[in-house]
């Protein structure tokens, strides 16, 4: 009888150990992580979902979304970063320091603009985007906006900068 109880206990313990070591499966696409976003990026184009481009007047505090096309974004692992807007006919060259983060739980990318002498923890306003995808070569971030009573998106498509 002792041997039977011992064998059952040993079998049960083995099952628990094997279950703990088995790979976990998830449904859907794998979550985007901070490491997928860290690096240097070029915003190569901006597209629109559910809204005409003429309806987007200003974007991220600039006069036009067009100012961001061709911009370079440097996102360090510490959360500090910046973006640099190129000079064009309607936009002046500008570099803006930011503090950024990624939330894998709700698949968002967010940042706050940092100005000289400011600390990120003291800034209450910022920008939150849907982080649609990010890998070693490309990243897509969507800015949700209300348009005609529904959610539309300004879609920013990035490519990894070549060093």
């Amino acid at each position: 009888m002792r041997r039977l109880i011992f064998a059952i206990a040993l079998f049960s313990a083995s099952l628990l150990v094997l279950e703990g070591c088995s790979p976990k499966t998830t449904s859907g696409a794998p979550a985007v992580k901070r490491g997928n976003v860290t690096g240097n990026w070029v915003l190569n184009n901006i597209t629109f979902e559910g809204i005409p481009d003429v309806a987007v007047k200003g974007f991220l505090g600039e006069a036009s979304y067009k100012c961001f096309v061709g911009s370079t974004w440097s996102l360090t692992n510490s959360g500090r970063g910046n973006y640099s807007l190129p000079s064009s006919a309607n936009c002046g060259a500008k570099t803006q320091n930011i503090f950024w983060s990624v939330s894998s739980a709700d698949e968002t990318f967010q940042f706050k603009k940092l100005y000289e002498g400011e600390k990120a923890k003291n800034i209450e306003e910022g920008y939150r985007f849907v982080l649609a995808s990010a890998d070693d070569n490309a990243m897509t971030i969507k800015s949700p906006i209300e348009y005609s009573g529904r959610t539309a998106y300004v879609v920013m498509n990035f490519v990894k900068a070549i060093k």
Side-chain angles (χ1 to χ4, degrees):
M1 184 69 163
R2 276 188 181 168
R3 287 185 186 170
L4 180 61
I5 293 173
F6 180 73
I8 292 172
L10 184 60
F11 179 73
S12 298
S14 298
L15 283 178
L16 287 174
V17 169
L18 290 175
E19 178 64 27
C21 294
S22 66
K24 305 295 182 227
T25 58
T26 59
S27 60
V32 177
K33 297 178 183 168
R34 180 182 194 88
N36 297 112
V37 176
T38 301
N40 296 310
W41 298 92
V42 175
L43 179 54
N44 65 345
N45 73 22
I46 295 178
T47 59
F48 303 89
E49 291 178 4
I51 187 171
D53 64 338
V54 295
V56 180
K57 301 298 180 198
F59 189 64
L60 301 179
E62 298 298 323
S64 172
Y65 70 88
K66 294 175 184 176
C67 296
F68 285 88
V69 176
S71 63
T72 56
W73 295 61
S74 175
L75 306 172
T76 67
N77 196 40
S78 69
R80 294 207 169 266
N82 67 60
Y83 62 80
S84 296
L85 305 180
S87 180
S88 67
N90 298 319
C91 309
K94 174 182 178 180
T95 298
Q96 176 65 59
N97 291 322
I98 62 172
F99 189 82
W100 68 277
S101 64
V102 167
S103 172
S104 297
D106 58 357
E107 297 179 341
T108 58
F109 171 85
Q110 53 266 336
F111 74 86
K112 298 175 181 182
K113 291 182 178 182
L114 294 177
Y115 297 98
E116 191 66 37
E118 287 184 316
K119 293 186 178 186
K121 67 180 183 177
N122 297 332
I123 300 171
E124 295 179 8
E125 295 179 2
Y127 301 92
R128 174 172 250 152
F129 307 98
V130 175
L131 183 54
S133 66
D135 60 29
D136 292 339
N137 302 309
M139 176 169 62
T140 301
I141 297 174
K142 297 181 175 184
S143 176
I145 55 174
E146 278 296 311
Y147 181 72
S148 295
R150 49 191 172 139
T151 303
Y153 296 94
V154 176
V155 182
M156 298 177 284
N157 299 295
F158 294 84
V159 294
K160 196 70 142 195
I162 299 171
K163 286 226 167 190

